[in-house]
Amino acid sequence: MKLPNKKIRSADDLIDLVEQCGFLPFFANEISGFSVEEHTPRELWFSGEADGPWEWKGPAARSGKCVYGKLFRNKAGFVSLDWFPDFLNYRRDGYDFDARYDDGLAAFKDKELYDIVLNGGSLLSKEIKKIGGYGRDGKKGFETIITRLQMQTYIIAEDFVYMLDALGNPYGWGVARYTTPEARFGEELVRAAYNREPSESKERIFGHLKTLLPKADEKQILKIVG
């Protein structure tokens, strides 16, 4: 199938498009039309009167039908559950996190933050920062580390929680709630493609995206998945 030419007007529309495409970056990129941004009517992108992509990402992540996180070149996007096992297998390159750390391929700060999320089960970003000692007068580099762990598929965003004002009204962009794919979806789904070599998963993903995006060249596709 080729990339559907449809507009997103709700969280359900977003989920449907992710399930059809398998992969969908949040923001516009080198591949024309391959983003949530480009499939959303402009009047809904930043609307004070109606929900748009910023509000839909939470329900989409909560739905259990797709995975959300900083998954494409350190930027946000979605992967369907059908394709996530291969995506995870390729990105992890055959390593569970402890094995990656034991082989010297992950820094101590990465392990420290990963262990906080692993042991916490599901934590808001501000809770992770507090436990880990990140903040104005504490450690630096939280965003870099949490992004790297998402790119490697060891951590995902499962929801966004909005703060409430004195009247009980939500405000702001929403605080990310993080967990591990294992905690969110179970070991069976996470390991569903472990019988394949990471390179085979990469080829499967590339072949799918080449069919979905026939006008995109190899370099453009590999920038997205690699």
Side-chain angles (χ1 to χ4, degrees), residues 23-37:
F23 305 85
L24 193 63
F26 198 80
F27 300 106
N29 52 77
E30 294 93 339
I31 303 176
S32 179
F34 190 46
S35 70
V36 173
E37 181 178 359

Side-chain angles (χ1 to χ4, degrees), residues 1 3-4 6-8 10-26 34-37 39 56-57 59-61 63-69 71-72 76-84 208-209 212:
M1 63 166 286
L3 184 67
K6 63 176 291 185
K7 291 297 184 182
I8 304 170
S10 67
D12 286 340
D13 286 348
L14 172 57
I15 294 166
D16 286 344
L17 187 58
V18 172
E19 290 188 311
Q20 289 181 58
C21 296
F23 305 85
L24 193 63
F26 198 80
F34 190 46
S35 70
V36 173
E37 181 178 359
H39 282 267
W56 300 333
K57 68 182 188 295
S63 72
K65 297 179 179 180
C66 56
V67 179
Y68 178 83
L71 301 171
F72 305 109
F78 296 88
V79 178
S80 71
L81 280 197
D82 284 345
W83 278 102
F84 189 62
H208 168 73
L209 289 177
L212 185 74

Side-chain angles (χ1 to χ4, degrees), residues 56-121:
W56 300 333
K57 68 182 188 295
R62 286 197 301 273
S63 72
K65 297 179 179 180
C66 56
V67 179
Y68 178 83
K70 291 186 176 180
L71 301 171
F72 305 109
R73 298 177 65 190
N74 296 331
K75 294 182 180 180
F78 296 88
V79 178
S80 71
L81 280 197
D82 284 345
W83 278 102
F84 189 62
D86 271 303
F87 187 72
L88 177 149
N89 187 45
Y90 166 52
R91 283 290 180 82
R92 291 189 179 184
D93 196 25
Y95 286 95
D96 287 332
F97 187 83
D98 286 343
R100 180 179 292 274
Y101 180 73
D102 290 343
D103 279 3
L105 300 175
F108 176 75
K109 283 188 175 181
D110 290 36
K111 176 173 172 53
E112 185 179 51
L113 196 151
Y114 171 77
D115 284 345
I116 290 171
V117 177
L118 180 68
N119 294 328

